[in-house]
Amino acid sequence: MSFIKRKSKSKKRAVLKYVLILLLLGVIILPFYWIFISSVKPTDELIRAIPTFVPEKWTVNHYSNLFAASDYGQYLWNSFYVAFWTMLITVILASLGGYSIYRCSYPGKNLISKLILVAYIFPQVLILIPLYKVMSSFSLINNLWSLIIINVTICAPFGVWLLKTFFGTIPMAIEEAAAIDGASQFKTLYKIFIPLAAPGMATVAIYAFLTSWTEFLFANTFILDEELKTLPVGLARFITQYNVDWGLLTAGAMVTAIPPLVFFAFVGKNFVKGLTTGAIK
Amino acid sequence: MQLKIKIKSGWNNTSLFGIVLIAPLLLWIVVMIVYPLISSIWMSLTDVDFLGINSNFVGISNYIELITDVEFWTAMGKSMIWTIGNALLQLILGFTTALIINQQFKGKSFVRIWIILSWIIPTIVLAIIWRWILNSSFGILNYILQLFNFVEQPIDFLGSFQLAMPTVIFINTWRWFPFLAIIILAALQTIPVEQYNAASIDGANSFQKFIYITFPMMRPTLSVLGLIGTLWSINIFDVIYMLTRGGPAGATETIPVFVYQKAFQEYAMNKASAAAVILFLFLSVFVVFYFKIEPTFREDNFLN
């Protein structure tokens, strides 16, 4: 009797569990579903008083307008350019810095590691104004490299921290063994540590890409020309126009979301792992 | 669960190589953060104009003007509401979500990765999604609310003085709670199962297990999240700016938005700098205070 009771109780719990999980997924995924179907509805259906939950008519007009009638293609290219160089430089700086901090010994290192810590919890708005002046003195206002430089500044300190678990947990005996075999420090770094830390470096690379892809504050301030704007700034201008074209805007949002999603689909598992092992040690 | 890595910091045969490797990053940080920080403090003490041509030292008069400015204190208050609201909501939802997805269920590896979908998308996409859903003329949410007779008139969530701040906090929480959940989940999974088994044998119920095992074991992770999360959310600018631009009538104007408006709408660089410096001091005090009151917290949790 009590056995049956317990069984029905555990069944109830299992149902509750799946209900909660579905609810959770719904909260996360439904907004994306809504923006997707909105981007493929014709404009008259889009602004109908009674919305359709599955499009009656499908259209790619908003997507073709996006590339034909706006500077979206140019924004997309600019964003890719900035993200690519941000990724590359961040990975190099963070790997070298991480190796230095977790594997080498020299006076002043503790101070440097504290400085790096401060650098990634810093109010960005605090350095925005002086950086504007720094950038203009180097004639970098209205130049995509100003964004690459600032994105690396945002990403590299966090990258060093992410690499801690990868550099920090490799036994010191490896360097000693390599030194006995006559390998130089540089050779040890790139023959042994770079391959071992590769998953960590991939995490740093994705983090840098995501950060660069979304960065708005500096891109909105340092770039003045229309043809140099990145996606977030370009799209933000669409929002504030008097007559908002929601078809265009939702299509723009979809295309902007695709590169991070594709990236994540391939390496999401390692990214989450890298992120969480870094956070909990 | 701490894996301590010794930072050795004396001279030895790795020193020269270490210094060469850290040099580029160090130089980068000094030029991009340390110098601007000092420059910001300097600017806040001058009457510099937008072009930076004329600048005379004026002492703390910018600060005095600022602290007698009602708009500044309103922005400070908004920042407090924003930060505390986000921290509480995200922690509760993040912890609950972590407990839910920590169970065994079909598709768990998929859910545990893709749940952070809302975190990986760019802020502008988030802004478009929610502006469209909450739109007062064509938004789906207002349609549903009216369909079920919850409201008679459509609600302008982002345009209402009372609702704008809660709405923006909600949207930012939607973005961040899954991220917190996966970090908390990873920490939950480091708790040895034996502890729960032993507690079961001793007759502990689920609630007691949570209070005496889960929570203490989670404390170091929660304390790091608490600190970094607070600093990150205080500094958030883009979500608010894209959703409301600080409006309506300053309803969502936190300090970062205030600084931006002062600097790039009113071109009052000196006052904007002073406000940013006050924010920085405020955060520094918060960090020091946090180190003091949080016993499980060690700053070497970050780097050592």
Side-chain angles (χ1 to χ4, degrees):
Chain A
M1 190 63 186
S2 80
F3 174 74
I4 295 168
K5 214 173 174 183
R6 188 179 292 168
K7 207 174 171 189
S8 80
K9 201 179 167 190
S10 76
K11 208 173 175 186
K12 256 184 206 160
R13 278 189 71 139
V15 171
L16 180 71
K17 185 168 77 183
Y18 279 97
V19 168
L20 284 173
I21 288 161
L22 282 179
L23 193 71
L24 200 62
L25 285 177
V27 165
I28 298 295
I29 291 170
L30 284 181
F32 287 95
Y33 172 73
W34 189 243
I35 204 97
F36 167 68
I37 60 158
S38 300
S39 74
V40 292
K41 285 179 189 174
T43 304
D44 59 320
E45 191 181 337
L46 194 62
I47 55 173
R48 205 178 283 171
I50 298 166
T52 50
F53 290 87
V54 175
E56 280 168 8
K57 253 168 81 186
W58 293 67
T59 173
V60 291
N61 273 351
H62 301 304
Y63 288 90
S64 51
N65 277 347
L66 191 66
F67 287 96
S70 79
D71 287 328
Y72 191 87
Q74 188 63 41
Y75 303 151
L76 191 63
W77 164 252
N78 294 338
S79 273
F80 266 116
Y81 183 85
V82 172
F84 173 78
W85 287 107
T86 300
M87 259 168 78
L88 193 68
I89 300 171
T90 300
V91 169
I92 292 171
L93 282 186
S95 308
L96 298 183
Y99 183 85
S100 173
I101 285 184
Y102 302 119
R103 308 303 293 190
C104 301
S105 160
Y106 45 88
K109 200 175 74 178
N110 283 321
L111 188 71
I112 293 173
S113 56
K114 288 212 176 74
L115 185 66
I116 291 173
L117 167 67
V118 171
Y120 91 85
I121 53 178
F122 204 76
Q124 288 172 15
V125 73
L126 176 57
I127 53 173
L128 174 70
I129 301 160
L131 273 184
Y132 187 87
K133 293 186 189 298
V134 172
M135 291 301 174
S136 47
S137 66
F138 287 104
S139 303
L140 284 173
I141 294 296
N142 228 357
N143 184 324
L144 290 177
W145 276 92
S146 66
L147 304 184
I148 296 166
I149 293 168
I150 188 68
N151 287 341
V152 171
T153 314
I154 298 167
C155 299
F158 189 62
V160 169
W161 183 69
L162 275 177
L163 287 171
K164 174 180 64 184
T165 34
F166 294 94
F167 283 139
T169 51
I170 303 166
M172 283 293 175
I174 286 187
E175 274 124 317
E176 285 153 23
I180 291 165
D181 289 348
S184 69
Q185 281 170 327
F186 183 66
K187 205 167 173 186
T188 316
L189 171 63
Y190 86 91
K191 285 268 188 200
I192 298 174
F193 281 91
I194 299 293
L196 283 174
M201 288 160 71
T203 308
V204 175
I206 303 161
Y207 179 77
F209 178 85
L210 295 178
T211 307
S212 170
W213 201 252
T214 189
E215 203 288 313
F216 174 77
L217 178 62
F218 293 97
N220 191 38
T221 317
F222 292 172
I223 301 298
L224 312 170
D225 284 356
E226 194 58 34
E227 65 266 27
L228 286 175
K229 291 206 152 82
T230 53
L231 282 173
V233 182
L235 279 176
R237 281 166 47 91
F238 288 1
I239 295 188
T240 51
Q241 274 161 9
Y242 182 68
N243 257 331
V244 182
D245 181 346
W246 282 105
L248 197 70
L249 212 47
T250 50
M254 284 305 296
V255 180
T256 306
I258 285 171
L261 291 184
V262 169
F263 227 132
F264 197 73
F266 282 108
V267 285
K269 202 172 166 191
N270 285 323
F271 180 64
V272 169
K273 215 169 161 188
L275 213 56
T276 51
T277 48
I280 61 163
K281 284 173 287 287
Chain B
M1 287 304 107
Q2 301 282 328
L3 192 84
K4 284 283 177 242
I5 299 146
K6 276 253 163 60
I7 288 200
K8 282 187 271 170
S9 65
W11 287 105
N12 69 13
N13 59 345
T14 65
S15 298
L16 188 65
F17 192 52
I19 291 169
V20 170
L21 293 188
I22 198 76
L25 180 64
L26 190 62
L27 187 73
W28 203 289
I29 290 176
V30 168
V31 173
M32 296 297 290
I33 293 179
V34 179
Y35 167 74
L37 171 65
I38 295 166
S39 163
S40 213
I41 295 170
W42 168 248
M43 251 192 268
S44 73
L45 299 169
T46 68
D47 61 355
V48 64
D49 58 10
F50 182 66
L51 297 170
I53 301 164
N54 302 306
S55 83
N56 305 301
F57 185 79
V58 294
I60 57 166
S61 67
N62 289 321
Y63 288 90
I64 291 172
E65 246 180 89
L66 205 60
I67 57 173
T68 53
D69 182 353
V70 179
E71 199 193 342
F72 173 74
W73 289 109
T74 311
M76 279 296 246
K78 298 290 177 192
S79 271
M80 293 288 270
I81 295 169
W82 164 260
T83 308
I84 294 168
N86 270 301
L88 287 179
L89 259 180
Q90 285 176 30
L91 199 63
I92 293 166
L93 281 174
F95 215 116
T96 313
T97 304
L99 291 173
I100 293 171
I101 61 176
N102 192 28
Q103 303 179 77
Q104 296 302 318
F105 59 93
K106 281 195 192 103
K108 63 174 194 285
S109 50
F110 174 84
V111 172
R112 287 176 188 175
I113 293 166
W114 282 96
I115 188 120
I116 62 165
L117 187 63
S118 60
W119 182 75
I120 59 172
I121 53 150
T123 314
I124 185 68
V125 176
L126 170 122
I128 293 170
I129 288 177
W130 286 102
R131 271 173 168 252
W132 177 227
I133 289 174
L134 301 177
N135 189 290
S136 52
S137 318
F138 318 111
I140 182 73
L141 189 63
N142 271 311
Y143 170 75
I144 292 170
L145 289 177
Q146 284 174 303
L147 193 69
F148 292 101
N149 286 320
F150 289 127
V151 294
E152 280 180 11
Q153 291 298 313
I155 300 172
D156 191 1
F157 288 94
L158 292 167
S160 139
F161 188 79
Q162 281 81 19
L163 287 177
M165 184 55 113
T167 307
V168 179
I169 291 175
F170 166 80
I171 294 172
N172 193 54
T173 297
W174 178 77
R175 169 179 231 180
W176 281 91
F177 86 87
F179 179 81
L180 260 74
I182 61 155
I183 306 261
I184 293 171
L185 172 70
L188 281 175
Q189 290 175 341
T190 62
I191 302 174
V193 187
E194 293 79 24
Q195 295 210 10
Y196 289 110
N197 293 342
S200 299
I201 292 166
D202 292 343
N205 62 31
S206 318
F207 181 71
Q208 287 168 322
K209 283 185 210 164
F210 181 79
I211 293 295
Y212 294 108
I213 303 173
T214 313
F215 191 71
M217 295 290 278
M218 293 296 296
R219 192 144 174 198
T221 302
L222 289 179
S223 100
V224 175
L225 276 180
L227 181 70
I228 301 182
T230 304
L231 296 176
W232 273 349
S233 72
I234 273 191
N235 293 328
I236 283 176
F237 166 81
D238 55 357
V239 176
I240 302 174
Y241 191 79
M242 285 174 188
L243 287 169
T244 62
R245 303 208 153 215
T252 53
E253 193 179 81
T254 58
I255 291 289
V257 181
F258 175 85
V259 171
Y260 185 86
Q261 308 272 28
K262 273 268 175 286
F264 294 99
Q265 311 285 323
E266 296 172 31
Y267 300 113
M269 294 301 198
N270 48 357
K271 248 178 267 170
S273 296
V277 171
I278 292 178
L279 176 65
F280 184 60
L281 291 178
F282 188 79
L283 292 182
S284 309
V285 171
F286 173 75
V287 171
V288 171
F289 189 66
Y290 201 94
F291 283 141
K292 283 254 188 314
I293 60 160
E294 181 50 60
T296 60
F297 196 87
R298 294 285 171 272
E299 54 187 301
D300 50 45
N301 279 12
F302 291 98
L303 286 166
N304 294 20

